[in-house]
Amino acid sequence: TVVAAVNFDQCLNNIVQNANTTGDLNGLLDGNGNPVSNISDATSISYSMCTSSCGTGQEAFQWSEFSQEFSAWLLPNLALISQLPFGAQYRLDNLMSAVLTIGSPTLAGYSL
């Protein structure tokens, strides 16, 4: 099955290029969601412009980007959990310590 993916970076470049050549600023918004009168003030686009120009599909999954983000989250948490004193009498208490550490790593780091 072939799924058509949207390239949002390319779509945004096409919208900006079209606005530069035609001078049509319709759908371009500033950071507060207000229409702009100068293209250099545009930091976003309206949802209707996005769906009409880019489509309603998803951007393709990129394993390299995902793995970097996921490992940046996972490795520090694993390092923190490995430092916990798993010496409780019951295994469920040890599991609860690990779950609470994942839920609040700042508190767990402070308590070590």
Side-chain angles (χ1 to χ4, degrees):
T1 307
V2 176
V3 177
V6 177
N7 184 342
F8 287 112
D9 292 329
Q10 182 61 43
C11 184
L12 180 61
N13 289 339
N14 292 345
I15 291 171
V16 170
Q17 184 179 12
N18 183 42
N20 280 329
T21 57
T22 63
D24 181 17
L25 302 178
N26 189 23
L28 298 177
L29 308 172
D30 65 8
N32 295 321
N34 300 317
V36 296
S37 57
N38 185 355
I39 193 166
S40 63
D41 295 332
T43 58
S44 59
I45 59 174
S46 65
Y47 179 74
S48 60
M49 175 179 262
C50 180
T51 56
S52 66
S53 299
C54 305
T56 58
Q58 300 178 28
E59 190 157 359
F61 179 78
Q62 297 175 354
W63 174 254
S64 61
E65 193 171 315
F66 169 77
S67 63
Q68 288 175 356
E69 295 288 328
F70 186 66
S71 65
W73 171 85
L74 180 66
L75 294 178
N77 276 301
L78 288 177
L80 185 61
I81 290 172
S82 70
Q83 299 300 315
L84 287 175
F86 291 112
Q89 184 177 3
Y90 301 107
R91 289 185 182 193
L92 187 59
D93 292 341
N94 287 332
L95 176 65
M96 186 58 68
S97 295
V99 169
L100 289 173
T101 300
I102 292 171
S104 180
T106 305
L107 180 62
Y110 180 75
S111 66
L112 290 176

XYZ file of all heavy atoms in Angstrom:
830
model
N 0.835 -1.174 0.000
C 0.000 0.000 0.000
C 0.886 1.244 0.000
O 1.760 1.391 0.840
C -0.886 0.024 1.255
O -1.578 -1.203 1.348
C -1.863 1.161 1.192
N 0.635 2.120 -0.925
C 1.389 3.356 -1.025
C 0.557 4.481 -0.412
O -0.600 4.671 -0.763
C 1.724 3.693 -2.498
C 2.430 5.024 -2.586
C 2.550 2.587 -3.100
N 1.158 5.184 0.521
C 0.477 6.289 1.175
C 1.190 7.579 0.789
O 2.402 7.700 0.945
C 0.497 6.113 2.713
C -0.151 7.298 3.388
C -0.185 4.823 3.100
N 0.429 8.526 0.271
C 1.011 9.814 -0.101
C 1.231 10.643 1.160
O 0.316 10.826 1.948
C 0.099 10.547 -1.066
N 2.446 11.093 1.346
C 2.776 11.892 2.521
C 2.925 13.355 2.120
O 3.261 13.671 0.985
C 4.058 11.388 3.164
N 2.676 14.220 3.074
C 2.792 15.656 2.854
C 4.154 16.115 3.342
O 4.607 15.715 4.407
C 1.679 16.411 3.620
C 1.827 17.900 3.459
C 0.316 15.957 3.155
N 4.819 16.942 2.559
C 6.074 17.554 2.982
C 5.727 18.987 3.392
O 5.604 19.878 2.555
C 7.096 17.531 1.840
C 8.434 18.075 2.267
O 8.552 18.769 3.279
N 9.456 17.753 1.497
N 5.569 19.218 4.690
C 5.115 20.518 5.173
C 6.169 21.609 4.966
O 5.821 22.765 4.755
C 4.704 20.433 6.642
C 3.407 19.710 6.846
C 3.371 18.483 7.468
C 2.217 20.256 6.403
C 2.178 17.815 7.653
C 1.015 19.602 6.574
C 1.000 18.371 7.207
N 7.442 21.260 5.011
C 8.486 22.260 4.753
C 8.390 22.778 3.320
O 8.448 23.985 3.078
C 9.878 21.675 5.004
C 10.120 21.377 6.469
O 9.551 22.092 7.315
O 10.869 20.431 6.754
N 8.242 21.863 2.384
C 8.116 22.261 0.980
C 6.828 23.034 0.749
O 6.807 24.017 0.001
C 8.171 21.028 0.071
C 8.102 21.363 -1.405
C 9.258 22.228 -1.856
O 10.399 21.994 -1.467
N 8.982 23.224 -2.660
N 5.759 22.628 1.400
C 4.488 23.325 1.247
C 4.592 24.761 1.759
O 4.108 25.694 1.111
C 3.390 22.569 1.991
S 1.757 23.279 1.766
N 5.224 24.956 2.904
C 5.404 26.302 3.443
C 6.265 27.151 2.510
O 5.959 28.328 2.275
C 6.016 26.244 4.833
C 6.256 27.595 5.504
C 4.951 28.342 5.691
C 6.975 27.409 6.821
N 7.322 26.559 1.960
C 8.155 27.297 1.001
C 7.348 27.722 -0.213
O 7.515 28.839 -0.723
C 9.355 26.449 0.575
C 10.368 26.284 1.681
O 10.412 27.072 2.614
N 11.165 25.233 1.591
N 6.464 26.843 -0.699
C 5.618 27.187 -1.845
C 4.654 28.321 -1.503
O 4.421 29.218 -2.323
C 4.828 25.961 -2.303
C 5.708 24.892 -2.900
O 6.866 25.138 -3.241
N 5.179 23.691 -3.000
N 4.091 28.305 -0.300
C 3.164 29.367 0.112
C 3.889 30.705 0.190
O 3.398 31.730 -0.287
C 2.503 29.008 1.463
C 1.550 27.832 1.279
C 1.781 30.199 2.056
C 1.017 27.249 2.572
N 5.078 30.708 0.801
C 5.850 31.955 0.921
C 6.276 32.465 -0.450
O 6.192 33.669 -0.737
C 7.070 31.735 1.849
C 8.008 32.913 1.802
C 6.599 31.482 3.267
N 6.724 31.558 -1.309
C 7.136 31.957 -2.658
C 5.949 32.533 -3.429
O 6.081 33.554 -4.121
C 7.724 30.763 -3.393
C 8.265 31.097 -4.766
C 8.864 29.881 -5.453
O 8.680 28.759 -5.010
N 9.574 30.110 -6.532
N 4.790 31.915 -3.300
C 3.592 32.420 -3.974
C 3.210 33.797 -3.434
O 2.834 34.692 -4.198
C 2.439 31.429 -3.782
C 1.200 31.864 -4.517
O 1.271 32.322 -5.663
N 0.056 31.728 -3.872
N 3.315 33.998 -2.129
C 2.984 35.300 -1.534
C 3.981 36.361 -1.989
O 3.598 37.516 -2.216
C 2.973 35.200 -0.020
N 5.242 35.997 -2.152
C 6.241 36.953 -2.628
C 5.999 37.363 -4.070
O 6.169 38.528 -4.423
C 7.652 36.365 -2.495
C 8.187 36.473 -1.088
O 7.866 37.390 -0.356
N 9.004 35.510 -0.706
N 5.632 36.401 -4.916
C 5.456 36.724 -6.337
C 4.133 37.413 -6.626
O 4.076 38.314 -7.452
C 5.567 35.453 -7.197
O 4.604 34.498 -6.748
C 6.950 34.870 -7.131
N 3.046 37.007 -5.934
C 1.737 37.584 -6.242
C 1.363 38.737 -5.321
O 0.486 39.525 -5.663
C 0.639 36.505 -6.134
O 0.571 36.039 -4.787
C 0.897 35.365 -7.086
N 1.989 38.815 -4.148
C 1.618 39.852 -3.185
C 0.349 39.519 -2.434
O -0.179 40.347 -1.691
N -0.173 38.310 -2.622
C -1.402 37.887 -1.942
C -1.053 37.402 -0.543
O -0.413 36.371 -0.359
C -2.079 36.763 -2.731
C -3.373 36.308 -2.088
O -3.919 37.045 -1.244
O -3.836 35.202 -2.442
N -1.464 38.152 0.479
C -1.161 37.814 1.865
C -2.335 37.143 2.561
O -2.312 36.949 3.780
C -0.755 39.074 2.631
C 0.442 39.844 2.078
C 0.701 41.097 2.897
C 1.673 38.971 2.038
N -3.361 36.773 1.805
C -4.541 36.147 2.373
C -4.166 34.794 2.993
O -3.604 33.930 2.336
C -5.603 35.957 1.294
C -6.925 35.512 1.875
O -7.194 35.733 3.057
N -7.739 34.872 1.059
N -4.462 34.613 4.271
C -4.164 33.371 4.964
C -2.871 33.405 5.756
O -2.615 32.509 6.543
N -2.043 34.432 5.558
C -0.806 34.569 6.324
C -1.113 35.296 7.630
O -1.808 36.308 7.637
C 0.251 35.324 5.536
C 0.719 34.671 4.234
C 1.705 35.572 3.523
C 1.333 33.318 4.502
N -0.580 34.793 8.728
C -0.903 35.324 10.048
C 0.367 35.638 10.830
O 1.429 35.084 10.551
C -1.726 34.303 10.838
C -2.975 33.742 10.152
C -3.562 32.605 10.966
C -4.006 34.830 9.937
N 0.224 36.517 11.830
C 1.356 36.778 12.734
C 1.292 35.795 13.900
O 0.467 34.880 13.921
C 1.361 38.234 13.207
C 0.154 38.597 14.058
O -0.626 37.698 14.431
O -0.004 39.787 14.358
N 2.139 35.964 14.883
C 2.207 35.045 16.005
C 0.959 35.023 16.869
O 0.727 34.071 17.606
N 0.121 36.044 16.784
C -1.116 36.100 17.553
C -2.328 35.646 16.758
O -3.453 35.715 17.247
C -1.356 37.522 18.071
C -0.300 37.958 19.048
O 0.153 37.162 19.868
N 0.117 39.215 18.968
N -2.120 35.238 15.511
C -3.231 34.781 14.683
C -3.936 35.875 13.926
O -5.010 35.661 13.374
N -3.328 37.065 13.874
C -3.929 38.182 13.148
C -3.382 38.237 11.732
O -2.207 37.948 11.508
C -3.621 39.501 13.868
C -4.158 39.512 15.290
O -5.268 39.079 15.544
N -3.331 39.982 16.218
N -4.220 38.644 10.760
C -3.723 38.797 9.387
C -2.605 39.835 9.313
O -2.579 40.791 10.091
C -4.959 39.264 8.609
C -6.126 38.865 9.448
C -5.651 38.902 10.865
N -1.673 39.621 8.396
C -0.526 40.525 8.273
C -0.679 41.405 7.045
O -1.367 41.074 6.091
C 0.800 39.741 8.188
C 1.051 38.973 9.458
C 0.814 38.815 6.996
N -0.016 42.561 7.099
C -0.001 43.455 5.948
C 1.374 43.457 5.280
O 1.550 44.039 4.226
C -0.383 44.876 6.385
O 0.500 45.314 7.398
N 2.352 42.802 5.913
C 3.708 42.708 5.373
C 4.146 41.248 5.498
O 4.027 40.651 6.569
C 4.639 43.631 6.157
C 6.023 43.684 5.577
O 6.341 42.968 4.631
N 6.860 44.529 6.153
N 4.684 40.693 4.429
C 5.038 39.267 4.439
C 6.126 38.948 5.457
O 6.192 37.849 5.997
C 5.451 38.783 3.029
C 5.494 37.263 3.006
C 6.778 39.367 2.621
C 5.566 36.662 1.653
N 6.969 39.912 5.776
C 8.029 39.642 6.749
C 7.479 39.478 8.166
O 8.169 38.961 9.042
C 9.077 40.752 6.712
O 8.494 41.979 7.086
N 6.227 39.901 8.404
C 5.602 39.747 9.715
C 4.904 38.391 9.868
O 4.471 38.048 10.963
C 4.572 40.852 9.952
C 5.215 42.225 10.017
O 6.393 42.305 10.403
O 4.521 43.214 9.687
N 4.802 37.637 8.779
C 4.074 36.363 8.813
C 4.910 35.281 9.481
O 6.052 35.045 9.119
C 3.697 35.943 7.395
N 4.324 34.653 10.491
C 4.983 33.546 11.180
C 4.154 32.275 11.131
O 4.610 31.230 11.578
C 5.249 33.896 12.655
O 4.006 34.202 13.279
C 6.204 35.063 12.768
N 2.932 32.356 10.608
C 2.059 31.192 10.546
C 1.051 31.369 9.419
O 0.987 32.422 8.789
C 1.349 30.978 11.885
O 0.598 32.124 12.213
N 0.293 30.299 9.177
C -0.764 30.356 8.169
C -2.049 29.857 8.799
O -2.037 29.173 9.824
C -0.413 29.508 6.921
C -0.195 28.041 7.297
C 0.792 30.073 6.203
C 0.003 27.122 6.118
N -3.155 30.198 8.171
C -4.453 29.755 8.688
C -4.643 28.267 8.386
O -4.013 27.702 7.488
C -5.587 30.563 8.068
O -5.653 30.306 6.672
N -5.519 27.639 9.161
C -5.792 26.217 8.959
C -6.381 25.967 7.579
O -6.023 24.997 6.917
C -6.735 25.707 10.053
C -7.073 24.254 9.900
C -6.140 23.274 10.209
C -8.315 23.855 9.431
C -6.435 21.939 10.059
C -8.624 22.519 9.283
C -7.683 21.556 9.598
O -7.989 20.229 9.443
N -7.276 26.846 7.143
C -7.895 26.648 5.822
C -6.860 26.752 4.712
O -6.907 25.993 3.735
C -9.030 27.645 5.610
O -8.537 28.972 5.676
N -5.873 27.651 4.847
C -4.812 27.737 3.848
C -3.951 26.483 3.886
O -3.535 25.967 2.845
C -3.938 28.966 4.050
C -2.749 29.017 3.104
S -1.745 30.465 3.320
C -2.399 31.460 2.006
N -3.688 25.973 5.065
C -2.876 24.766 5.202
C -3.537 23.584 4.511
O -2.901 22.870 3.746
C -2.629 24.455 6.675
S -1.629 22.994 6.970
N -4.825 23.382 4.775
C -5.506 22.238 4.168
C -5.686 22.402 2.667
O -5.598 21.427 1.931
C -6.868 21.986 4.829
O -7.656 23.170 4.753
C -6.696 21.552 6.275
N -5.886 23.636 2.205
C -6.071 23.824 0.766
C -4.740 23.762 0.008
O -4.690 23.266 -1.115
C -6.785 25.150 0.478
O -5.964 26.236 0.850
N -3.668 24.224 0.624
C -2.373 24.242 -0.068
C -1.576 22.959 0.129
O -0.875 22.517 -0.769
C -1.522 25.414 0.415
O -2.149 26.631 0.149
N -1.672 22.370 1.307
C -0.831 21.221 1.641
C -1.592 19.903 1.662
O -0.977 18.844 1.614
C -0.185 21.425 3.013
S 0.754 22.951 3.161
N -2.890 19.956 1.790
C -3.671 18.735 1.897
C -3.911 18.383 3.360
O -3.465 19.071 4.268
N -4.598 17.270 3.567
C -4.957 16.874 4.925
C -4.191 15.645 5.394
O -4.510 15.068 6.423
C -6.467 16.581 5.018
O -6.785 15.553 4.070
C -7.283 17.823 4.736
N -3.174 15.237 4.655
C -2.413 14.042 5.020
C -1.408 14.298 6.119
O -1.310 15.382 6.688
N -0.647 13.264 6.433
C 0.385 13.340 7.446
C 1.746 13.471 6.787
O 1.925 13.095 5.641
C 0.394 12.074 8.293
C -0.886 11.803 9.018
C -0.793 10.503 9.802
O 0.277 10.097 10.214
N -1.920 9.868 10.012
N 2.697 13.980 7.559
C 4.073 13.998 7.073
C 4.654 12.608 7.271
O 4.298 11.892 8.201
C 4.904 15.043 7.819
C 6.255 15.257 7.183
C 6.857 16.614 7.519
O 6.242 17.402 8.230
O 7.966 16.852 7.049
N 5.541 12.225 6.396
C 6.125 10.885 6.457
C 6.906 10.688 7.755
O 7.551 11.605 8.258
C 7.042 10.671 5.255
N 6.841 9.475 8.284
C 7.578 9.127 9.494
C 9.060 9.043 9.169
O 9.458 8.403 8.194
C 7.082 7.785 10.036
C 7.795 7.335 11.267
C 7.487 7.887 12.492
C 8.784 6.368 11.199
C 8.146 7.473 13.633
C 9.437 5.949 12.329
C 9.118 6.498 13.552
N 9.878 9.697 9.982
C 11.322 9.672 9.772
C 11.971 9.035 10.993
O 11.977 9.621 12.084
C 11.848 11.081 9.553
C 11.293 11.723 8.306
C 11.729 13.160 8.160
O 12.366 13.713 9.044
N 11.371 13.757 7.054
N 12.494 7.828 10.797
C 13.058 7.077 11.904
C 14.218 7.818 12.552
O 14.343 7.826 13.781
C 13.503 5.699 11.442
C 14.215 4.972 12.524
C 15.548 4.735 12.613
C 13.643 4.435 13.711
N 15.839 4.073 13.778
C 14.684 3.874 14.467
C 12.352 4.370 14.208
C 14.467 3.264 15.693
C 12.146 3.756 15.429
C 13.198 3.215 16.152
N 15.087 8.454 11.780
C 16.260 9.118 12.353
C 15.843 10.251 13.291
O 16.421 10.417 14.365
C 17.165 9.647 11.246
O 16.471 10.594 10.458
N 14.843 10.993 12.915
C 14.366 12.088 13.769
C 13.698 11.549 15.034
O 13.942 12.028 16.141
C 13.390 12.958 12.984
C 13.075 14.265 13.628
C 12.272 15.163 12.705
O 12.616 15.269 11.516
O 11.300 15.744 13.197
N 12.875 10.519 14.867
C 12.198 9.920 16.017
C 13.201 9.315 16.988
O 13.091 9.491 18.203
C 11.213 8.847 15.548
C 10.673 8.017 16.672
C 9.685 8.502 17.501
C 11.173 6.749 16.912
C 9.185 7.743 18.545
C 10.696 5.976 17.952
C 9.698 6.469 18.767
N 14.182 8.592 16.482
C 15.123 7.907 17.363
C 15.961 8.897 18.169
O 16.273 8.643 19.336
C 16.017 6.963 16.567
O 16.810 7.681 15.646
N 16.302 10.027 17.584
C 17.049 11.034 18.326
C 16.203 11.621 19.455
O 16.674 11.767 20.589
C 17.517 12.146 17.395
C 18.627 11.735 16.476
C 18.989 12.839 15.488
O 18.359 13.882 15.454
N 20.000 12.594 14.689
N 14.967 11.959 19.163
C 14.083 12.530 20.179
C 13.781 11.510 21.283
O 13.792 11.841 22.470
C 12.770 13.004 19.553
C 12.923 14.145 18.583
C 13.256 15.445 19.270
O 12.814 15.650 20.417
O 13.972 16.249 18.663
N 13.516 10.272 20.885
C 13.166 9.247 21.850
C 14.355 8.904 22.746
O 14.201 8.752 23.958
C 12.667 7.994 21.131
C 12.157 6.934 22.058
C 11.023 7.143 22.827
C 12.823 5.727 22.170
C 10.556 6.169 23.685
C 12.364 4.748 23.026
C 11.232 4.960 23.780
N 15.542 8.799 22.171
C 16.708 8.468 22.991
C 17.074 9.625 23.919
O 17.583 9.403 25.019
C 17.899 8.082 22.119
O 18.321 9.173 21.339
N 16.798 10.858 23.498
C 17.048 12.006 24.378
C 16.135 11.980 25.595
O 16.464 12.529 26.633
C 16.865 13.309 23.611
N 14.997 11.335 25.475
C 14.091 11.186 26.609
C 14.390 9.914 27.388
O 14.396 9.898 28.627
C 12.644 11.157 26.112
C 11.669 10.785 27.175
C 11.091 11.622 28.084
C 11.161 9.480 27.477
N 10.257 10.918 28.923
C 10.285 9.599 28.568
C 11.367 8.228 26.919
C 9.617 8.512 29.112
C 10.711 7.143 27.473
C 9.842 7.305 28.549
N 14.638 8.805 26.674
C 14.756 7.507 27.313
C 16.043 7.339 28.119
O 16.004 6.882 29.262
C 14.673 6.397 26.259
C 14.785 4.972 26.778
C 13.577 4.645 27.639
C 14.902 3.993 25.628
N 17.174 7.696 27.561
C 18.445 7.438 28.230
C 18.591 8.147 29.573
O 19.014 7.522 30.550
C 19.603 7.771 27.289
C 19.703 6.868 26.059
C 20.843 7.308 25.164
C 19.838 5.411 26.448
N 18.248 9.425 29.698
C 18.322 10.044 31.032
C 17.389 9.385 32.053
O 17.743 9.245 33.224
C 17.923 11.498 30.796
C 18.199 11.733 29.363
C 17.947 10.436 28.676
N 16.204 8.963 31.606
C 15.289 8.294 32.526
C 15.830 6.939 32.961
O 15.713 6.564 34.127
C 13.905 8.133 31.911
C 13.073 9.376 32.088
O 12.842 9.801 33.205
N 12.639 9.956 30.994
N 16.437 6.195 32.040
C 17.037 4.916 32.421
C 18.189 5.122 33.397
O 18.350 4.353 34.351
C 17.522 4.168 31.183
C 16.437 3.570 30.294
C 17.064 2.922 29.071
C 15.590 2.581 31.052
N 18.983 6.149 33.167
C 20.087 6.437 34.082
C 19.559 6.801 35.461
O 20.119 6.387 36.485
C 20.948 7.562 33.520
N 18.474 7.551 35.508
C 17.890 7.944 36.786
C 17.301 6.741 37.517
O 17.509 6.559 38.719
C 16.815 9.008 36.556
C 16.183 9.630 37.782
C 17.243 10.333 38.616
C 15.113 10.616 37.366
N 16.595 5.885 36.786
C 15.988 4.706 37.402
C 17.067 3.751 37.916
O 16.911 3.115 38.955
C 15.042 4.005 36.407
C 13.806 4.872 36.168
C 14.616 2.635 36.913
C 12.914 4.382 35.071
N 18.186 3.665 37.198
C 19.247 2.744 37.636
C 19.879 3.192 38.954
O 20.518 2.387 39.631
C 20.320 2.635 36.553
O 21.055 3.839 36.463
N 19.717 4.444 39.322
C 20.284 4.946 40.567
C 19.371 4.764 41.773
O 19.767 5.035 42.896
C 20.617 6.445 40.429
C 21.618 6.753 39.354
C 22.948 6.064 39.603
O 23.457 6.067 40.714
N 23.494 5.459 38.567
N 18.147 4.301 41.544
C 17.211 4.136 42.648
C 17.616 2.966 43.527
O 18.089 1.939 43.038
C 15.796 3.880 42.113
C 15.090 5.077 41.500
C 13.768 4.636 40.917
C 14.881 6.158 42.521
N 17.420 3.094 44.816
C 17.717 1.974 45.721
C 16.548 0.988 45.742
O 15.555 1.199 46.427
C 17.888 2.665 47.070
C 17.049 3.887 46.974
C 17.074 4.302 45.538
N 16.646 -0.071 44.941
C 15.576 -1.064 44.877
C 15.746 -2.069 46.013
O 16.073 -3.222 45.811
C 15.580 -1.786 43.525
C 15.186 -0.907 42.388
C 16.105 -0.542 41.424
C 13.896 -0.422 42.283
C 15.739 0.270 40.375
C 13.517 0.390 41.236
C 14.450 0.734 40.282
N 15.509 -1.616 47.216
C 15.682 -2.479 48.368
C 14.417 -2.648 49.181
O 14.476 -3.006 50.356
N 13.272 -2.380 48.574
C 12.014 -2.522 49.307
C 11.724 -3.995 49.575
O 12.242 -4.885 48.904
C 10.876 -1.896 48.505
N 10.876 -4.240 50.535
C 10.556 -5.611 50.915
C 9.753 -6.318 49.830
O 9.939 -7.507 49.598
C 9.773 -5.610 52.228
C 9.470 -6.989 52.758
C 8.762 -6.941 54.093
O 8.451 -5.895 54.614
N 8.507 -8.107 54.672
N 8.892 -5.586 49.149
C 8.033 -6.194 48.127
C 8.400 -5.654 46.750
O 8.743 -4.486 46.598
C 6.556 -5.898 48.427
C 6.118 -6.407 49.776
C 5.881 -5.522 50.820
C 5.960 -7.768 49.996
C 5.478 -5.988 52.060
C 5.567 -8.238 51.239
C 5.330 -7.349 52.256
O 4.944 -7.803 53.483
N 8.300 -6.521 45.737
C 8.634 -6.114 44.358
C 7.708 -5.019 43.850
O 8.113 -4.185 43.066
C 8.580 -7.320 43.424
C 9.701 -8.271 43.642
C 9.689 -9.368 42.624
N 10.771 -10.291 42.893
C 11.175 -11.198 42.063
N 10.575 -11.337 40.902
N 12.159 -11.992 42.372
N 6.469 -5.047 44.282
C 5.517 -4.026 43.845
C 5.959 -2.643 44.316
O 5.789 -1.657 43.598
C 4.113 -4.350 44.364
C 2.986 -3.454 43.858
C 2.903 -3.509 42.334
C 1.668 -3.858 44.470
N 6.550 -2.558 45.490
C 7.062 -1.272 45.979
C 8.232 -0.781 45.124
O 8.364 0.413 44.870
C 7.496 -1.392 47.438
C 6.316 -1.618 48.378
O 5.174 -1.320 47.962
O 6.540 -2.094 49.497
N 9.079 -1.697 44.684
C 10.169 -1.322 43.773
C 9.623 -0.820 42.438
O 10.115 0.159 41.887
C 11.102 -2.507 43.532
C 11.960 -2.821 44.734
O 12.268 -1.940 45.531
N 12.324 -4.083 44.875
N 8.598 -1.501 41.925
C 7.972 -1.067 40.678
C 7.339 0.315 40.851
O 7.457 1.171 39.963
C 6.925 -2.086 40.228
C 6.133 -1.708 38.987
C 7.048 -1.638 37.767
C 5.002 -2.684 38.753
N 6.708 0.544 41.984
C 6.089 1.846 42.231
C 7.147 2.944 42.264
O 6.913 4.054 41.765
C 5.299 1.816 43.538
C 4.508 3.087 43.786
S 3.329 3.481 42.487
C 2.168 2.175 42.673
N 8.319 2.676 42.804
C 9.407 3.660 42.809
C 9.816 4.017 41.385
O 10.027 5.186 41.058
C 10.618 3.112 43.562
O 10.323 2.929 44.905
N 9.930 3.008 40.526
C 10.305 3.260 39.132
C 9.230 4.057 38.412
O 9.533 4.996 37.667
C 10.560 1.939 38.410
N 7.961 3.718 38.628
C 6.859 4.434 37.970
C 6.810 5.884 38.429
O 6.636 6.805 37.624
C 5.523 3.715 38.230
C 4.344 4.561 37.795
C 5.501 2.372 37.530
N 6.981 6.120 39.706
C 6.970 7.495 40.216
C 8.167 8.290 39.689
O 8.061 9.490 39.454
C 6.958 7.493 41.744
C 5.653 7.032 42.384
C 5.816 6.920 43.894
C 4.505 7.948 42.034
N 9.298 7.630 39.494
C 10.472 8.304 38.940
C 10.224 8.735 37.505
O 10.582 9.838 37.106
C 11.695 7.375 39.011
O 11.928 7.062 40.372
C 12.912 8.038 38.424
N 9.607 7.862 36.714
C 9.297 8.225 35.323
C 8.287 9.364 35.301
O 8.384 10.284 34.501
C 8.768 7.002 34.552
C 9.884 5.979 34.388
C 8.219 7.406 33.201
C 9.438 4.668 33.835
N 7.328 9.344 36.207
C 6.300 10.380 36.244
C 6.824 11.732 36.684
O 6.350 12.766 36.231
N 7.819 11.743 37.565
C 8.362 13.001 38.044
C 9.881 12.886 38.231
O 10.380 12.711 39.336
C 7.707 13.390 39.369
O 8.252 14.619 39.833
N 10.630 12.950 37.113
C 12.084 12.785 37.219
C 12.763 13.872 38.029
O 13.788 13.627 38.678
C 12.558 12.766 35.770
C 11.435 13.261 34.949
C 10.186 13.103 35.746
N 12.214 15.070 38.043
C 12.819 16.147 38.817
C 12.731 15.843 40.310
O 13.713 16.001 41.040
C 12.124 17.482 38.507
O 12.163 17.721 37.106
C 12.767 18.623 39.244
N 11.586 15.398 40.745
C 11.418 15.037 42.150
C 12.311 13.855 42.512
O 12.929 13.827 43.583
C 9.960 14.716 42.447
C 9.616 14.316 43.885
C 9.954 15.473 44.830
C 8.158 13.938 43.996
N 12.413 12.880 41.636
C 13.256 11.718 41.909
C 14.725 12.120 41.987
O 15.455 11.636 42.839
C 13.049 10.670 40.828
N 15.168 12.994 41.105
C 16.543 13.469 41.143
C 16.832 14.243 42.397
O 17.917 14.145 42.973
N 15.858 15.007 42.859
C 16.026 15.782 44.090
C 16.097 14.865 45.301
O 16.850 15.112 46.236
C 14.870 16.772 44.241
C 14.944 17.616 45.482
C 15.869 18.680 45.560
C 14.127 17.373 46.565
C 15.947 19.447 46.696
C 14.204 18.144 47.711
C 15.122 19.189 47.765
O 15.198 19.947 48.887
N 15.326 13.778 45.288
C 15.291 12.882 46.435
C 16.499 11.975 46.511
O 16.722 11.351 47.529
C 14.008 12.063 46.424
O 14.021 11.198 45.299
N 17.273 11.850 45.421
C 18.486 11.029 45.489
C 19.509 11.794 46.260
O 20.381 11.495 46.860
C 19.004 10.700 44.082
C 18.157 9.750 43.268
C 18.741 9.586 41.871
C 18.086 8.392 43.946
